[in-house]
Amino acid sequence: MTSFSPGPAAPVPLTYEQEWYLARGRGIRTRRNVRLSFRILGPLDTDRFEEAVRLFIARHDALRMALVLNDSVETPDAQQVSPVRPHDRSITTQSVTAGSADQFSRYAAAVFSRDVLTPLGGEKRPFTLRLLRHDTEHHAFLATFNNVFFDGRAHDLFSREIWRDYTTLRDPGGVPPTAAPSFARAALARHESRSVRRLERARTSWHERIEFAARNRWQEPAASPTPSGSVHVRLSASAVEELREHCKSARCTVMHWLVGSFVRAVATHTEQRRVSLWTSLDSRGPTERDTVGMFAGSAPLAINAPGAPLHEVVAEVAGAMVDALRHQQLPACDLTALLTAPPAAGTSGGPLPLVGDIYVNLRSFPGPLRSARNSSSLRITADAYPLRRITLKDSSALHLRCNEYRDGVLIDLLFDGQRAGRPLAQSIVDQIVSDTTAVTSRRLSSERFLP
């Protein structure tokens, strides 16, 4: 066993994103944990796999965090790293008697669904990890995490590092990394970097964007309701490669371009003369890209001219996203006060939610797009076990999800059938595809998107 230092023992403050998450009415215990799962086919070396997971937990102090509870306050404002205990087993293992692979998968999905709803907090570790065994060639790995300590980027790091370390441990003399950036130190650095001037600028920026959102609420189209659902499209590797080249010369990112196309399509097919949307932002700095923790928070974007030419809309979107990230650091008490303030003159409706009527979720992954991959002699399938008897309600009228991979982009537009409807969602996605086709056929190659 490799020995590790236990990390800082003194309590450290929460990140702004952790504060927001706890202040959104979720309390100390999460009602729904974030999750990932794998189907593993082939001769899994369970000892090496458990060691790879243990090494990840030892390196990344976010998975050894606990909130510092205080009966005198409604929500905690500090967290503390627990010592590494090398002999603790991080994974619960179980052999499952099942008549078939399908029966085993149904059992794994049921267990996974229960874990998603089981509170993680208080004295418990902020995760539950299970390795279920159907036979020597078939395993299920189920992982749920308390969202207070674990965001989407942390998911990607977990998936990549445990399989990397498993492969390394299987090689004679292989030694996985023993160090990783500290979440506790990153949280402390954010607290120490606070200044009155920076906070005032953040309050002003948030106030302007929230007021814009209140003045430009979603206008439901005059159309017959449809069942809620989603529209899906995949951009091929060749199309994405050409789009990247175009964005490189245009000084924007693929995500800026896709959101710009989406916003313009919304304006084209609705009565929205201005568009307010919310998006998730990751506040990790360049040196914190491999830090596991909670750095993801929602932020409003104000788009004043969504009906302008595409390159102008992309430029406005890019500028709005950069500005929002620059002013993302706002304490939960200030954010709550802004969201619950009485409506300004000329606005309608009640308090704004932290996720608005139009929501955009963007994620970029360094690896290829594929549902399964090989690691040593294993075939590993991600997201293999769907939730059972759990319905996740989306509060947005339109929710765009873009996942960018090295060799493709997945686009899903989720829609509320009562507030948007399938025809509108399909028209928006069709326009995004049309815009992409125009770029990849070089018809927009002379335009530059300069934020």
Side-chain angles (χ1 to χ4, degrees):
M1 291 287 186
T2 306
S3 61
F4 297 84
S5 63
V12 296
L14 304 176
T15 64
Y16 292 95
E17 292 80 11
Q18 288 179 300
E19 290 181 13
W20 295 352
Y21 185 84
L22 291 169
R24 284 162 55 187
R26 297 182 182 271
I28 292 172
R29 296 177 180 271
T30 62
R31 296 177 182 269
R32 177 167 58 88
N33 305 313
V34 292
R35 65 195 185 276
L36 59 85
S37 64
F38 298 98
R39 177 184 293 113
I40 309 168
L41 302 180
L44 178 68
D45 186 330
T46 56
D47 290 339
R48 296 291 185 272
F49 182 73
E50 287 191 47
E51 177 66 1
V53 174
R54 191 198 70 81
L55 290 170
F56 183 92
I57 295 169
R59 282 196 306 271
H60 295 284
D61 55 7
L63 290 183
R64 293 180 282 112
M65 281 284 191
L67 297 172
V68 178
L69 306 181
N70 188 332
D71 294 336
S72 64
V73 297
E74 187 174 346
T75 56
D77 59 5
Q79 56 194 331
Q80 191 168 17
V81 181
S82 62
V84 175
R85 294 176 296 190
H87 300 293
D88 282 356
R89 294 197 67 182
S90 303
I91 300 179
T92 299
T93 59
Q94 178 186 358
S95 293
V96 178
T97 301
S100 66
D102 286 343
Q103 186 181 45
F104 174 75
S105 294
R106 289 195 296 270
Y107 176 81
V111 172
F112 194 38
S113 301
R114 181 192 64 194
D115 286 347
V116 166
L117 297 177
T118 301
L120 290 170
E123 299 298 322
K124 294 184 178 180
R125 296 176 297 183
F127 60 86
T128 297
L129 306 175
R130 300 185 189 276
L131 184 64
L132 307 183
R133 178 183 182 274
H134 177 46
D135 56 43
T136 58
E137 300 281 322
H138 188 172
H139 292 78
F141 179 54
L142 315 174
T144 55
F145 303 92
N146 190 327
N147 205 177
V148 175
F149 306 105
F150 214 78
D151 61 14
R153 171 68 178 171
H155 272 230
D156 183 45
L157 292 168
F158 183 83
S159 299
R160 287 195 287 115
E161 291 188 16
I162 59 171
W163 294 115
R164 178 202 66 194
D165 291 356
Y166 174 78
T167 301
T168 300
L169 289 167
R170 295 272 292 169
D171 293 336
V175 180
T178 59
S182 167
F183 177 52
R185 294 189 179 93
L188 184 60
R190 277 160 170 70
H191 180 77
E192 293 174 343
S193 66
R194 291 186 181 185
S195 69
V196 174
R197 185 178 183 184
R198 180 175 296 179
L199 287 176
E200 187 57 40
R201 288 179 175 176
R203 289 190 195 98
T204 299
S205 175
W206 272 90
H207 175 76
E208 292 174 350
R209 286 178 283 144
I210 287 175
E211 188 174 87
F212 180 94
R215 293 181 183 278
N216 297 279
R217 293 176 182 266
W218 173 253
Q219 302 296 317
E220 297 182 15
S224 300
T226 70
S228 299
S230 64
V231 180
H232 172 82
V233 69
R234 172 180 172 177
L235 303 184
S236 66
S238 58
V240 172
E241 184 59 31
E242 289 192 58
L243 182 57
R244 285 198 184 104
E245 288 299 314
H246 181 78
C247 290
K248 186 185 300 183
S249 63
R251 296 174 58 184
C252 69
T253 68
V254 169
M255 291 304 191
H256 290 155
W257 193 92
L258 289 173
V259 176
S261 176
F262 167 70
V263 168
R264 190 167 183 269
V266 169
T268 299
H269 297 284
T270 70
E271 300 296 324
Q272 302 289 129
R273 304 175 75 177
R274 295 181 178 84
V275 171
S276 172
L277 67 151
W278 291 69
T279 188
S280 295
L281 295 176
D282 184 342
S283 66
R284 287 172 175 83
T287 62
E288 298 169 336
R289 297 306 299 164
D290 292 334
T291 305
V292 170
M294 177 54 167
F295 300 97
S298 300
L301 305 180
I303 310 302
N304 284 281
L310 179 56
H311 67 284
E312 294 181 13
V313 181
V314 173
E316 186 175 7
V317 165
M321 292 180 71
V322 170
D323 184 70
L325 184 58
R326 183 182 297 122
H327 299 109
Q328 179 76 346
Q329 306 288 298
L330 191 69
C333 58
D334 289 345
L335 179 60
T336 301
L338 289 171
L339 290 172
T340 58
T347 63
S348 61
L352 290 171
L354 194 55
V355 174
D357 295 318
I358 305 176
Y359 184 66
V360 173
N361 183 254
L362 311 173
R363 297 180 66 186
S364 296
F365 302 95
L369 167 60
R370 51 191 174 184
S371 60
R373 58 178 175 150
N374 294 324
S375 176
S376 301
S377 57
L378 303 178
R379 180 174 175 80
I380 305 161
T381 304
D383 301 323
Y385 303 100
L387 299 181
R388 295 171 60 87
R389 298 180 181 177
I390 297 177
T391 300
L392 305 179
K393 174 66 176 176
D394 197 320
S395 60
S396 302
L398 293 171
H399 179 172
L400 179 71
R401 294 177 178 172
C402 294
N403 288 340
E404 180 186 3
Y405 298 86
R406 189 171 65 230
D407 57 351
V409 172
L410 296 181
I411 299 174
D412 285 285
L413 181 56
L414 285 68
F415 60 88
D416 184 319
Q418 296 291 322
R419 305 174 63 203
R422 179 172 290 276
L424 173 60
Q426 186 66 60
S427 296
I428 291 171
V429 171
D430 288 345
Q431 184 165 328
I432 295 174
V433 172
S434 177
D435 289 343
T436 305
T437 302
V439 167
T440 57
S441 63
R442 309 295 183 181
R443 288 200 291 267
L444 297 180
S445 61
S446 63
E447 297 176 347
R448 292 179 61 79
F449 306 153
L450 300 175

